[in-house]
Amino acid sequence: MTDFTTRPEILGTFGVFTSTHWIASAVGMSILEKGGNAFDAAVAAGFVLQVVEPHLCGPGGDMPAVIYSKKKDKVEVICAQGPAPAGATIEHYTAEGLTLIPGDGLLSTVIPGAFDGWMLMLRDYGTMSVREVLEPAIYYAEQGHPVLERVSNTIKGLASFFEKEWPTSYATWMPGGAAPEPLSNFRNPVLAETWKRVIAEAEAKSGREEQVEAARDAFYRGFVAEAIDTYLRDAEVMDASGSRHKGVLSADDMANWRATIEAPQTYDYHDWTIAKTAAWGQGPVLLQSLALLKGFDIGAMDPAGPDFVHTVVEAMKLAFADREVYYGDPEFAQVPTEYLLSDNYNNDRRKLIGAEASLELRPGRVPGYDHQHDLTVAMLSEMSGTGTVYEPTMSHLSEKRGDTVHIDVIDRWGNMVSTTPSGGWLQSSPIVPGLGFALNSRAQMFWLKPGLPTSLAPGKRPRTTLTPSLALHEGRPTLAFGTPGGDQQDQWQLPFFLRYVHHKSNLQAAIDMPLFHTSHFPGSFYPRTSSPGEIMVESNIGTEVLDELRRRGHKVTVADPWTVGRLTAARRDKDGLLRAAATPRLMQAYAIGR
């Protein structure tokens, strides 16, 4: 008899689509039904998520994707992470009186990357027109969509701030002077008009690819960039620093940037190969964690027992410590990723995982990087004691913090997309007049101290937390998975993947198991503080496990059942059978397929 799962594992052969919102999943599946492929479906759903989850992503945000194209027979990464503008220098920000980049406002903005990434995916891998992929988003922006409770609460919590400091956001999110009630029908007609104008400019050209290029130009070198430039020239707004600042993004910054396609960073774990972004994202921490855990008999551990939780958490602490010292945009810094993933390095590091929880941040030493190591450790040591970390919980449970969305899709031909769009949240910065969307706050992940891989510099990509996953089994592209959650994204993906690989559960069963994470290391988001030894665990893991983790020295915060993580996953079997699953947590994510 099959063990109970909260939802069925979706099975089919035609296509599967799973995302963090049921409407986006339905839209994605409808694109597959119309003959579109996985890439068309991901693009259409990505724009819909900007409408129905505006507290988690927006048109002014960013988007990394790990994809497999059947035609090219290749796993690749689409990098739609915009870099810092030309005016984003450490000197300028420190002259503004800042020691940390605020988590909101205009100084935290980098070049919006998501739109160009989606258009690049559509042009090079999709089959549909700009109109076909934008029309679902236009429909929900124009006709309305049911407001999520968290969206309503976020707007209500910011109502007075919007009214006083960000009037353009007040006009957009509080039409008539009141925040939308949960599940009321909410519209964003200005955004709908923006997309209609993009379509009109695209359709002034003939040919599908030419129309996609015209849409890119409309956004980055046309009316959208002009509206952003005009607004930022004069706008000076309040941010988390407690002062008002002007932004530095310009139309020239946008005109000279394009999303790119690059090779993934991979690691072999038993008979699986996991593909992630390079170290401009945090993705390699999952690979480093696997390199450490390869030396343990994970399959012999109870997947919800204290040995499993303890071992996985301690491995992640070591991997994330290395993230702080070594990760950054590889175009600006030498990142020793191969060394960090090497057997010799991890054989030594593995010895640090003992029976007790570590309360220290312990980055490893890489030959030739001693100065970088010491500089980073000294800076982080100076910061310790400057405040406690944001409540050790998931960012998506805090109404004023932004988060992220996720999409996994596999079509009948075997094309696969795993993508984690984010940024441009309704609470990240003011609405740009005439466009109906806000800019992002990704620059908060830079440091204002020179000499680090993540030091602020014009043209440099921030070391993002966005980290979609695609895994190959015995060399065959098999599994797409991911989750929102900032620094927790790889921390939730890792136990899911280990449980799935070692315990042969189905996708839904692996997603349903109790989740956990640590806030031991410095956070990527303002105010960048840490909580050594802290772990959060869902209470349904059991009191015996929680007590044992405390006995081992972990500072345990107990979360309510079904509150940690927003995982989704999709799989293609060797015989062509497709599978998909979505978390029941927050009661939003949904998997569809046939």
Side-chain angles (χ1 to χ4, degrees), residues 321 324-325 361-363 365 369-386 447 449-452 522:
E324 295 308 302
V325 172
L361 189 71
R362 299 180 292 178
R365 286 197 175 270
Y369 289 78
D370 285 333
H371 176 71
Q372 184 172 306
H373 175 282
D374 295 345
L375 190 66
T376 306
V377 169
M379 178 189 70
L380 296 176
S381 297
E382 289 170 14
M383 286 188 61
S384 65
T386 58
W447 293 109
K449 185 178 184 66
L452 304 174

Side-chain angles (χ1 to χ4, degrees), residues 519-578:
S519 49
H520 174 82
F521 50 86
S524 297
F525 296 88
Y526 182 88
R528 308 299 300 269
T529 45
S530 58
S531 187
E534 186 86 44
I535 61 171
M536 173 169 274
V537 190
E538 287 182 310
S539 62
N540 46 321
I541 204 165
T543 54
E544 289 184 10
V545 174
L546 296 170
D547 289 344
E548 175 59 20
L549 291 170
R550 290 189 183 98
R551 193 193 65 77
R552 297 186 188 193
H554 297 280
K555 299 176 183 178
V556 179
T557 298
V558 181
D560 291 337
W562 311 110
T563 59
V564 172
R566 296 180 68 202
L567 285 157
T568 68
R571 172 181 172 132
R572 187 175 192 271
D573 290 353
K574 198 171 184 179
D575 62 1
L577 185 67
L578 304 177

Side-chain angles (χ1 to χ4, degrees), residues 474-513:
E474 297 176 344
R476 179 180 55 80
T478 300
L479 185 65
F481 60 102
T483 177
D487 291 310
Q488 288 84 38
Q489 288 178 32
D490 283 312
Q491 297 195 66
W492 297 332
Q493 293 181 63
L494 180 61
F496 158 76
F497 181 72
L498 292 169
R499 289 160 168 170
Y500 188 69
V501 166
H502 288 289
H503 298 280
K504 312 302 180 189
S505 55
N506 70 36
L507 291 174
Q508 192 64 51
I511 285 174
D512 284 353
M513 293 191 73

Side-chain angles (χ1 to χ4, degrees), residues 282-443:
Q282 75 175 7
V285 295
L286 188 141
L287 308 182
Q288 282 195 251
S289 298
L290 291 172
L292 290 163
L293 293 170
K294 189 186 279 188
F296 293 91
D297 190 356
I298 298 294
M301 297 179 185
D302 176 351
D307 287 344
F308 178 84
V309 177
H310 171 81
T311 306
V312 171
V313 165
E314 293 304 299
M316 291 192 300
K317 288 178 183 177
L318 295 174
F320 275 93
D322 282 348
R323 182 192 76 169
E324 295 308 302
V325 172
Y326 300 109
Y327 290 21
D329 187 343
E331 293 183 11
F332 283 75
Q334 292 278 0
V335 183
T337 311
E338 299 307 319
Y339 187 90
L340 296 173
L341 294 174
S342 67
D343 287 344
N344 286 341
Y345 179 74
N346 285 285
N347 288 342
D348 284 339
R349 294 280 279 165
R350 195 176 298 119
K351 296 171 186 173
L352 295 174
I353 301 176
E356 299 291 317
S358 170
L359 301 182
E360 299 175 71
L361 189 71
R362 299 180 292 178
R365 286 197 175 270
V366 175
Y369 289 78
D370 285 333
H371 176 71
Q372 184 172 306
H373 175 282
D374 295 345
L375 190 66
T376 306
V377 169
M379 178 189 70
L380 296 176
S381 297
E382 289 170 14
M383 286 188 61
S384 65
T386 58
T388 56
V389 75
Y390 51 87
E391 287 296 317
T393 182
M394 293 138 297
S395 49
H396 66 261
L397 294 184
S398 175
E399 308 298 358
K400 293 186 181 180
R401 289 183 61 83
D403 197 351
T404 305
V405 299
H406 187 78
I407 292 169
D408 296 306
V409 54
I410 307 175
D411 63 28
R412 57 188 143 154
W413 302 286
N415 298 305
M416 304 175 70
V417 178
S418 174
T419 180
T420 312
S422 186
W425 314 310
L426 70 85
Q427 62 273 48
S428 64
S429 69
I431 290 286
V432 179
L435 296 182
F437 66 82
L439 297 171
N440 62 78
S441 54
R442 191 63 60 182

Side-chain angles (χ1 to χ4, degrees), residues 48-193:
V48 168
L49 285 169
Q50 296 170 1
V51 177
V52 299
E53 293 196 294
H55 60 318
L56 307 180
C57 71
D62 27 42
M63 185 276 286
V66 188
I67 64 173
Y68 171 71
S69 163
K70 183 70 173 176
K71 183 178 180 181
K72 295 176 75 170
D73 192 24
K74 196 174 184 181
V75 176
E76 295 173 304
V77 168
I78 293 178
C79 175
Q81 175 54 66
T89 64
I90 290 176
E91 294 75 18
H92 176 74
Y93 281 56
T94 53
E96 293 282 312
L98 299 172
T99 56
L100 287 174
I101 298 176
D104 60 8
L106 300 179
L107 274 180
S108 62
T109 294
V110 299
I111 297 170
F115 186 84
D116 208 56
W118 288 126
M119 291 297 106
L120 180 62
M121 182 184 290
L122 181 67
R123 186 196 71 183
D124 289 4
Y125 302 93
T127 65
M128 288 185 158
S129 67
V130 174
R131 175 180 290 277
E132 287 172 305
V133 297
L134 278 177
E135 279 187 331
I138 292 171
Y139 174 86
Y140 288 108
E142 200 167 48
Q143 301 301 318
H145 61 92
V147 175
L148 296 169
E149 183 178 6
R150 283 169 182 79
V151 175
S152 175
N153 291 343
T154 299
I155 295 170
K156 288 176 180 177
L158 291 167
S160 59
F161 177 80
F162 281 171
E163 185 174 18
K164 181 182 178 184
E165 303 291 352
W166 295 3
T168 55
S169 293
Y170 184 82
T172 298
W173 303 114
M174 303 188 67
E181 291 300 319
L183 303 184
S184 64
N185 198 36
F186 184 80
R187 299 172 177 85
N188 187 345
V190 178
L191 179 60
E193 291 304 314

